[in-house]
Structures are given as structure tokens and as C-alpha cells.
Amino acid sequence: MRRLTRAEYDNSVFTVVKNPTAVPMAQLLAPEDAILGFTTHDRLQVTSLLADQLDTIADQNWAPVALGNLASEYECAASIAEEDCARSFIKALGARAFRREVLPEEEADLLALWRAVRKEAEPKKAAEYVIQAVLTSASFLYRTELGESGGKAGQVVWLTQREIASALSFAITGGPPDAELLAAADSDKLVSADARETHARRLLKTKASQVYLERFIVEWLGLSGLASINKNNQVFPDFSAAFKDSSSRETMTFINHVVTNEAASVKELLSANYTFADGRMSEFYGTSSTPDGTLGRVPLPANRVGILTHASVLTTYSLFDSSSPIRRGKFVLTRLLCREVPPPPPSIIIIPPAVRPDSTTRARFAAHTDNPTCAGCHRQLDPIGFGMEDYDGLGKYRTKENGLDVDASGSIEHANGKFSFKGGAELARFLSSSEDVADCVPLQLFRYVMGRDEDTVDAATLADMRTRFRADPKLKLGDALVGLVRSPYFVHRRNP
């Protein structure tokens, strides 16, 4: 049982009320927390606050919208008994909302609600109450992956065909299955891995899938908090609300381009020699700008490569008044290489070294972390972060800091040894071709889609995802998703 995220809620409501262009309302709901870096995890709950918010939105927003779109479903011709029309309306509405057929007890409950309202009001009002009830029900708010009934305790069972359709659609688009996928489910065609792949590749071409993959990249790289970033203006005079907006638009436009025009290629994401900048960011990077200064595609200078050298990313993994080798090193280790970095011992007080006008950031942090208790982790973190010191805390390229030469030499341990580099651009080029990154990205995608950490039983699924992901040198996210939905583990569950 998995609760819908806010984005999944909006996508699902659009399907229920038959209005794909409706204004999203989920931003009015309490935000999700993140586990393993993702808000799509399977521990989301319906708190009392969220329940109140869902009820209010269903009452004030969605039910009135749906009444106009669904009039042909609840309005009844004079030649047909009204309760027969009400039953048909409940079954059609419930099937879209619950992603399966409406159970007899659900139909009875909703029909009882219809009758109670109908005693005092017109059919339109009864329909409105039924819509509210459906959009606040557990069967709508939770996706089920319970499997076919009748299996013994501990037995591995197939998911139902409708559950497979739902799981596949949410895995590719972050929303409920469309008519074509439901028709395949009702014809028992989703037993075949080839059929699941066909539908997955069809859905990967949709706008919904592109938005879903863009959201994955943002959460995977930890960029959800761009709007809340703040910096010390005395240290970074370039920082302003306008700069924050420009750097954020640059990164989001670039991500959108990679997903929609480069088939969500991770290789392109990490190694592109261009970006999408306005006049402010072009000047900041020291590159040419578009003729009219508006946001457009521009070449990156030689000291920048791909999204890792975007100002928004470098700013995110910095401190209020300086860069942060530790944050940047941890970002690369955990997000791109999937290596765990344990928290510091409780006895260690985590206070970054104070900024000094007579020292470089590297020198301050090297002395600060030269502690035997911390050495184990910092031997992995520091060499990566130090190699990105050619960018300050706002992401501006530099060769000097406080009049002193910047040492941006670094190293990174990988499956086949150690790679030494100088500067963030060289690190980005290495990571774009790294076998370790090619192993990590499918795992991060698995966590995002499945809503949980990997387990021993997932080894075969992950192997399939990685094989398909690596088959194309562009490292396309869609190929990894195809590997996931083809896996027998994707369509089976073990009974409690």
C-alpha cells in the first residue's frame, strides 16, 4: 500500500475528473519528507492535517470542476431509473479513481451517500458528494500492490493485471494508467515482459513521463531547495534574488532539454559543453550570450562541463559564506556513486572553520578535519571536494582566493583504482564515463520508482536495469526503467 505523492495526486485527479489541463492543487497540501533523497517513498501517511486539506480541496475545488466535466455520466434520461444511472456513475467514477473495478461494498456505501443527499437536493448535488467521497477515500489515495487473492501465506503471487497496469504507469509517468494500458490489463496481456516493454516505451514519449523524469533528476541531485538558498552578500556580491532565479532557470531548462531532446541521457547531463543561460549567467560564466540577452543555448567555457558545474548545483553544496569541500564531496559520493557516508560521532561538534582573509578554504578545511576520529570518512570526502575548489561558494570560477593560489587538485576512488584530477570540469568528464556512476544511477532510479531501499531479492532486477542502462553509451534513464518493468520481480509479490 503506497500513498500518492502530491504530484501523483494531481495526475490522478486529472484522470478522475477528466480534465488534464486543470490547475494543479497539490501545492496546497503539506509537503512530503524525503527518505534516501526522494519524496516518493512508501512511508508516506495521511496525517490529520493532510486529511483536512484533502477534504477541503475536494469540496471547494475538484468536485465543482468535475461536475461540469462529468455531467453526461451522472445526468439521467427520463427513460432510465435514477438509481441505475447513479450506479453507473459510481462504477465509472470509482474505476478511474481506484484504478480497478469498484467492489460491491464500495458501491453500496457510495449509493447510500447518493440516496441520503438526494432526499434533500438535486442529482447534481448528490454527484458532488460522491465525487468528494471518492477523492478522499483510501482506495484513491493509496495504490495497492497486494496480488491475486487465494495464495497461501508466504507464497509468491502475481499482481493483478490492473495492479500491474497501475504500477507500470506510475513507474513511467508518475500517474495512473491510460485507456490503452487498462485495455491491455483487461485482456491479460501484461503477463508478457515484451508487452510491458512496449507500453513502457510508448509512455516514455509522453509529456507526463518527461515531467516525471525531470522530477527524478531534481531529487536525485538534491536540487529541490533552490528557491530557499541564501548567501552572504558581502562575501558574494553577485548573489541576489535575480541571480537565484537566473541560475535556477538555467538548470531547470537544461534538465528539460536533456530529458525531452536527448532521451534523458545521463551522459549528456554530466558531460554537455553547453547550457541555457540568460545574460546574467552568461556574464557570470564568462561565455557568450544570446543576441537579445534572453535565456538560450550558449557554449560553456572550458572550465565547466555539464550540470555538476552549474552555479545552482555548486551553490547548493556550499555554505552561507564559503564553498564547502565536505558538502561537495559527500554529494558526489552519495548521489553519483551510491556510497554511504556515516554521520559523524555524537562527540564531534560540527562547526565549519571560520572564514579567514589570510587563508584558502582548502587550507582551513584540511586543518579542521585533521582529526583521527574523522579521518576515515574524510579520506573519501575531502579529495573530491578539494578538487572542486576552483569554484567559490556561489559557483564562480576562480584561480585565486584571498590573493592566494587555489589548489584544485583532487582524487576519487573508483572500482578500478583511483583517479586524480584538477578542477570540477575534469571531475565531471570522468564521472560522465564512470562505471560506478553507471551502476549508481539505476539504483537511484529504483529507489525513486519503488519508494524504498534495495534488498537482497532485488539483485536480479537491478542487474537487468544496469544492463539495459549501459547498453546505450548515452545512458538513457528510459532504458533502465524498461529493465525494471520487464523484471519478473516487478509483477510479483510475496504474501505476508
Side-chain angles (χ1 to χ4, degrees), residues 203-430:
L203 293 172
L204 281 167
K205 299 175 184 177
T206 64
K207 178 63 178 177
S209 180
Q210 292 165 359
V211 171
Y212 181 67
L213 290 177
E214 288 173 25
R215 192 179 304 119
F216 162 72
I217 292 171
V218 168
E219 293 198 4
W220 164 44
L221 298 181
L223 304 179
S224 302
L226 290 177
S228 60
I229 288 174
N230 198 14
K231 294 289 176 180
N232 186 329
N233 284 102
Q234 293 182 330
V235 179
F236 305 115
D238 287 324
F239 182 76
S240 64
F243 177 87
K244 186 163 61 173
D245 178 64
S246 288
S247 61
S248 177
R249 286 199 303 131
E250 173 204 1
T251 298
M252 296 310 299
T253 303
F254 175 71
I255 291 173
N256 173 265
H257 167 79
V258 170
V259 170
T260 57
N261 299 306
E262 299 293 340
S265 163
V266 173
K267 177 78 171 180
E268 189 75 6
L269 189 77
L270 298 179
S271 66
N273 61 0
Y274 60 88
T275 188
F276 292 82
D278 59 15
R280 180 178 291 103
M281 296 312 300
S282 295
E283 182 179 354
F284 185 80
Y285 289 157
T287 188
S288 59
S289 63
T290 54
D292 57 1
T294 58
L295 186 139
R297 179 166 172 160
V298 298
L300 282 174
N303 55 45
R304 293 186 191 272
V305 174
I307 197 170
L308 297 191
T309 60
H310 280 204
S312 61
V313 176
L314 294 164
T315 287
T316 296
Y317 294 99
S318 295
L319 298 173
F320 175 67
D321 55 4
S322 74
S323 62
S324 176
I326 295 174
R327 287 189 180 183
R328 290 174 179 175
K330 184 180 179 182
F331 160 65
V332 172
L333 278 177
T334 58
R335 302 281 182 166
L336 298 170
L337 302 177
C338 293
R339 297 179 194 164
E340 292 187 14
V341 178
S347 59
I348 300 296
I349 300 175
I350 308 173
I351 301 177
V355 175
R356 291 170 47 187
D358 61 345
S359 178
T360 64
T361 301
R362 179 171 187 146
R364 290 186 294 110
F365 273 86
H368 180 71
T369 58
D370 189 18
N371 181 322
T373 308
C374 308
C377 287
H378 284 283
R379 272 197 295 267
Q380 297 182 69
L381 294 170
D382 294 359
I384 300 173
F386 287 152
M388 303 177 77
E389 273 298 288
D390 52 341
Y391 309 107
D392 68 13
L394 201 59
K396 193 164 192 174
Y397 181 74
R398 63 183 177 182
T399 58
K400 297 278 188 179
E401 182 182 8
N402 295 326
L404 302 171
D405 289 338
V406 168
D407 180 3
S409 60
S411 63
I412 183 169
E413 295 181 2
H414 57 95
N416 298 316
K418 180 184 288 188
F419 173 74
S420 297
F421 63 93
K422 189 168 185 178
E426 191 173 352
L427 172 63
R429 290 188 187 95
F430 168 77

Side-chain angles (χ1 to χ4, degrees), residues 78-91:
S79 58
I80 305 175
E82 186 176 294
E83 281 212 358
D84 290 339
C85 291
R87 287 181 187 276
S88 297
F89 171 63
I90 287 168
K91 288 180 178 179

Side-chain angles (χ1 to χ4, degrees), residues 143-159:
R143 292 194 279 138
T144 64
E145 296 176 355
L146 304 178
E148 296 174 347
S149 60
K152 298 178 181 178
Q155 181 181 350
V156 174
V157 296
W158 275 88
L159 294 180

